[in-house]
Amino acid sequence: MSTFDSTKRLLPEILNDIVKGKVQLPDFQRGWIWDDDHVRGLLVSVARSFPVGAVMLLETGGEARFQVRPVENVPFADGIPDAELLILDGQQRLTTLTQVLSLNSTVKTYNDKGKAIERYYYFNIQIALEGQVHLEDVLIAVGPDRKVKANFDRDLVLDLSTRELECRQLFFPCSEILNSDAWEEALQEYVPEHFNTYMKFRKEVMNAFRNYQLPIIELKKETSKEAVCLVFEKVNTGGVPLSVFELVTASYAADGYNMRDDWFGSSLRKVESRQKRLSKEPMLSGVEATDFLQAITMLHTLERRKLDNAAGKTGKQIAPVSAKRVAILSLPLEAYKKWANEVEAGFMLAARFLRKECFLSPSDLPCRTQLAPLASVLALLKERWLEPRIHAKLTQWYWSGVLGELYGGAVETRIANDVDELLLWIDKDEELPRTITDATFQPDRLDRLSSRLSAAYKGINVLVLRSGAEDFFWKANIRELDAEDVALDIHHIFPQEWCEKQKIPRKVYNAIVNKTPISYKANRMIGGIAPSKYLEKLQQHKQVLLDDAKMDSILESHLIPAGLLRADNFDEFYRQRKLHLLSLIEKAMGKASVSFSDVESDDDAELEEYFGGI
């Protein structure tokens, strides 16, 4: 027996069912995310009777009992009615058409930069009758005041704020397409001479909407929940791809569990958001649902691996620890429920670990992808992570990943290996995790690190802070200033202006070797003058008044050779501070540094020429 029907329905009929609540959404579906360009494109396609794709609906009352919600922005004054059909595929299209054609309120959409905007949509009747035209010419969108302005809102280009203005300028509101009686009456009242033009528009454009046949695939309620989830995954491959979170949410929803509520929360069902709980820790504000699912999946597959080993299985019979998409999609609901709170606690411990390592804000975080394995491991270690031996191993692994820049790109295999190998190393002193053995830091990398987006750049900056760097102006170290919300940034030690006057290449003076974190106040006093001059200026400032010894101590807290800075000797300063930074990196990674002769090697011709002259 077939479990689906294939038919066609008039667009106005299905939109009417959506407004009445007969057609709704399974709650696991993502929200409406189409931007203004997508909205315009769909409207013009329907106006020209172009195919816009089939819609898939599921009959309610079967084995797959999903929580439901109305289509976006559809109001119900007397409570939400029971749905008869749920939208499995076609949500973005049907939501768009409902908001534009069936509701009198503004359409809540987005501009090309992702900013939320509100729009009303109009057809320019006269241009629409000219035949095939560009999208932006035939269809316009206006803000809530129904006006188009230019020259920074000083010039009024188009005013459609009243029905009379719409009629006189022949701009037809899309919200009236399915029922135009009131607009036609107004047209007869204000400009009856335009009625023939309007009737031609109604015949050629509006009737395309009213008579549009939308292909419908309707799954019967007898369809199994497994089949529903599989179909949902397969049909949602076009447009905006479904995330692994959305697919797992759909799978769990078929078993009556709302993972969207668990992650995002629900005021309607009084469920607290797990994401919001995590975000209370600033370092965790960027954690995504996929990170959380990866951490749970690694612990679940690690547990399976241990059971396979205990059962005497060998080789490929032993389940691997995994964070790959296929493993997440196979994560049983019971495993999610078992590990969710443990993993949440693990992420909280990860935030504590990062604070202890001197990470001050989310922007300091080198690699968000390293959080998932860290949280998984800490979920099992709990407070043991503070034991000196364990903490030393955790920090060596973490800094190897950061400074070795091993967590860029696809990292699913690495993070899974890390959870397994790091725990074995911690508990049984087995072989070093591969992240530690794979990590290398070439000395000439310091000559190229200038981008604040680089993991190693961020990591080295934090290592300098961790070593106790004090500010040049305020009587506090940088960590204390950050806690007091004093504006901080990474600035040049030898100022850019001075370096350019000395003909020092930008690639050299802009490298991290010539940068350090200081306060805005100190940076303003440094300006573009020689170090010997700005040090004197700083020390003699009436709010500072430091002698040379104290100032030298502050400089050395940044690994800056004070004597060379006072002598304005950039070349020797660069050489010495580079070695100091390499020593700091070596200590963090637990690996011996290269010899000094290797420090000067460089493949960049400009850098090689400059350093060759030192």
Side-chain angles (χ1 to χ4, degrees):
M1 182 181 72
S2 174
T3 58
F4 70 92
D5 288 326
S6 180
T7 185
K8 289 184 178 181
R9 290 184 62 184
L10 285 172
L11 177 62
E13 289 180 5
I14 194 163
L15 296 185
N16 187 51
D17 283 350
I18 289 173
V19 172
K20 289 181 177 179
K22 292 182 179 180
V23 176
Q24 297 187 41
L25 291 165
D27 198 53
F28 61 76
Q29 283 267 35
R30 64 155 65 102
W32 186 59
I33 59 174
W34 267 18
D35 61 19
D36 178 58
D37 286 341
H38 279 89
V39 174
R40 293 167 184 255
L42 179 63
L43 292 173
V44 170
S45 292
V46 175
R48 294 176 179 171
S49 299
F50 291 172
V52 297
V55 167
M56 183 173 290
L57 306 176
L58 170 68
E59 186 181 12
T60 60
E63 177 188 351
R65 298 182 180 274
F66 302 109
Q67 291 181 334
V68 303
R69 72 175 192 270
V71 166
E72 210 99 2
N73 298 322
V74 175
F76 293 102
D78 301 321
I80 301 172
D82 292 333
E84 298 175 7
L85 295 166
L86 300 180
I87 303 169
L88 289 185
D89 186 37
Q91 176 205 359
Q92 303 296 323
R93 286 166 286 155
L94 288 178
T95 302
T96 296
L97 293 169
T98 300
Q99 290 206 56
V100 176
L101 304 177
S102 299
L103 303 180
N104 290 321
S105 56
T106 55
V107 177
K108 296 174 177 62
T109 181
Y110 306 89
N111 63 16
D112 56 359
K113 295 182 173 60
K115 180 182 178 182
I117 56 174
E118 295 184 34
R119 293 290 183 265
Y120 289 106
Y121 290 89
Y122 284 84
F123 273 103
N124 184 325
I125 293 177
Q126 291 175 314
I127 295 180
L129 294 176
E130 292 177 0
Q132 297 294 312
V133 293
H134 293 295
L135 172 64
E136 60 270 17
D137 294 329
V138 69
L139 192 69
I140 70 157
V142 298
D145 63 355
R146 299 181 188 260
K147 296 177 181 179
V148 177
K149 298 177 182 178
N151 192 19
F152 302 100
D153 287 345
R154 288 193 286 265
D155 300 335
L156 182 62
V157 177
L158 179 66
D159 186 353
L160 301 173
S161 57
T162 67
R163 181 55 53 88
E164 181 178 356
L165 289 170
E166 292 174 354
C167 293
R168 291 192 181 280
Q169 297 172 92
L170 284 180
F171 277 84
F172 188 83
C174 291
S175 58
E176 309 284 330
I177 285 177
L178 302 183
N179 185 355
S180 57
D181 291 351
W183 203 88
E184 290 169 6
E185 290 176 6
L187 186 66
Q188 286 280 28
E189 177 183 352
Y190 296 123
V191 278
E193 64 272 20
H194 289 336
F195 202 79
N196 286 339
T197 302
Y198 162 75
M199 290 301 293
K200 186 177 180 182
F201 168 76
R202 191 173 81 168
K203 179 180 179 181
E204 294 184 11
V205 178
M206 291 169 59
N207 284 351
F209 285 88
R210 295 175 177 183
N211 299 324
Y212 194 87
Q213 296 276 339
L214 193 65
I216 303 289
I217 299 171
E218 188 173 310
L219 300 185
K220 297 179 180 178
K221 62 184 178 182
E222 290 78 18
T223 308
S224 69
K225 63 182 181 182
E226 291 81 10
V228 171
C229 292
L230 180 63
V231 167
F232 176 72
E233 179 180 354
K234 297 301 181 185
V235 299
N236 282 278
T237 55
V240 181
L242 291 170
S243 69
V244 67
F245 171 77
E246 289 164 328
L247 292 172
V248 174
T249 298
S251 175
Y252 291 174
D255 291 322
Y257 183 80
N258 194 322
M259 192 168 72
R260 182 176 291 277
D261 280 4
D262 182 64
W263 184 249
F264 293 111
S266 169
S267 56
L268 178 66
R269 288 179 283 275
K270 298 180 180 179
V271 180
E272 186 182 4
S273 165
R274 195 182 296 275
Q275 181 192 42
K276 285 186 178 178
R277 288 200 300 269
L278 289 172
S279 295
K280 289 177 182 177
E281 280 283 357
M283 295 305 302
L284 303 180
S285 60
V287 171
E288 298 179 357
T290 302
D291 303 321
F292 194 75
L293 285 172
Q294 281 183 325
I296 290 178
T297 303
M298 287 187 285
L299 291 179
H300 170 63
T301 52
L302 177 66
E303 184 177 51
R304 286 182 54 205
R305 181 179 179 85
K306 289 179 178 177
L307 290 173
D308 287 347
N309 280 320
K313 294 181 180 179
T314 59
K316 293 185 178 180
Q317 294 178 318
I318 302 174
V321 180
S322 180
K324 292 183 177 179
R325 179 183 176 93
V326 64
I328 299 174
L329 292 176
S330 301
L331 181 70
L333 175 57
E334 289 309 310
Y336 180 85
K337 291 180 176 179
K338 174 180 179 178
W339 289 109
N341 289 338
E342 298 286 331
V343 166
E344 182 179 341
F347 273 101
M348 291 298 190
L349 290 177
R352 287 176 58 190
F353 171 86
L354 292 169
R355 285 200 304 273
K356 191 174 178 64
E357 292 303 298
C358 204
F359 287 91
L360 305 177
S361 71
S363 61
D364 293 336
L365 197 63
C367 308
R368 194 198 80 239
T369 49
Q370 206 168 358
L371 279 175
L374 178 60
S376 295
V377 169
L378 292 175
L380 296 181
L381 292 176
K382 298 182 169 56
E383 293 301 326
R384 289 179 57 213
W385 75 276
L386 286 168
E387 295 174 14
R389 183 186 66 87
I390 293 177
H391 182 262
K393 290 184 174 183
L394 284 171
T395 55
Q396 184 181 357
W397 163 79
Y398 183 80
W399 285 107
S400 293
V402 170
L403 298 167
E405 299 179 284
L406 298 176
Y407 275 84
V411 295
E412 290 87 354
T413 299
R414 180 169 296 282
I415 65 177
N417 289 338
D418 275 344
V419 170
D420 188 21
E421 295 168 359
L422 185 54
L423 286 167
L424 287 172
W425 184 46
I426 287 172
D427 290 333
K428 299 181 180 180
D429 277 326
E430 295 199 5
E431 293 182 1
L432 290 171
R434 270 171 277 188
T435 288
I436 294 178
T437 58
D438 290 349
T440 59
F441 190 92
Q442 297 297 324
D444 61 4
R445 183 75 177 108
L446 286 172
D447 303 323
R448 293 185 174 84
L449 277 175
S450 59
S451 170
R452 299 178 185 219
L453 300 178
S454 161
Y457 184 103
K458 292 182 177 182
I460 292 168
N461 176 52
V462 170
L463 286 177
V464 172
L465 296 180
R466 194 178 69 160
S467 68
E470 299 179 57
D471 190 53
F472 290 6
F473 182 87
W474 303 108
K475 187 174 176 58
N477 64 41
I478 302 299
R479 296 178 68 173
E480 292 168 340
L481 292 178
D482 182 77
E484 297 294 330
D485 290 329
V486 173
L488 303 169
D489 205 350
I490 303 173
H491 296 288
H492 294 95
I493 300 168
F494 277 77
Q496 176 176 334
E497 184 179 339
W498 183 89
C499 290
E500 289 179 349
K501 287 179 180 177
Q502 308 304 312
K503 308 300 183 186
I504 299 171
R506 177 177 176 82
K507 287 184 178 180
V508 177
Y509 74 70
N510 210 37
I512 195 170
V513 178
N514 187 41
K515 293 179 180 178
T516 201
I518 54 176
S519 68
Y520 77 97
K521 185 81 171 180
N523 184 59
R524 286 176 63 187
M525 293 190 67
I526 286 173
I529 59 178
S532 59
K533 299 295 184 184
Y534 75 64
L535 288 175
E536 181 182 356
K537 183 179 176 183
L538 275 168
Q539 290 178 235
Q540 293 179 359
H541 191 283
K542 63 181 181 180
Q543 291 176 298
V544 179
L545 298 176
L546 292 177
D547 59 26
D548 287 355
K550 180 57 181 173
M551 192 70 214
D552 288 355
S553 175
I554 292 173
L555 295 172
E556 286 162 7
S557 74
H558 290 256
L559 308 182
I560 296 172
L564 297 173
L565 191 65
R566 291 186 182 280
D568 299 331
N569 187 341
F570 178 87
D571 293 348
E572 192 57 31
F573 150 83
Y574 192 100
R575 184 197 302 270
Q576 292 298 320
R577 189 162 194 259
K578 184 173 179 179
L579 286 175
H580 291 329
L581 291 177
L582 284 172
S583 178
L584 194 66
I585 292 165
E586 171 189 305
K587 185 177 179 181
M589 296 178 68
K591 291 189 174 185
S593 182
V594 296
S595 65
F596 181 74
S597 61
D598 291 330
V599 173
E600 297 178 312
S601 64
D602 204 291
D603 295 330
D604 187 286
E606 186 178 10
L607 293 175
E608 186 175 2
E609 179 182 357
Y610 180 81
F611 289 118
I614 295 180

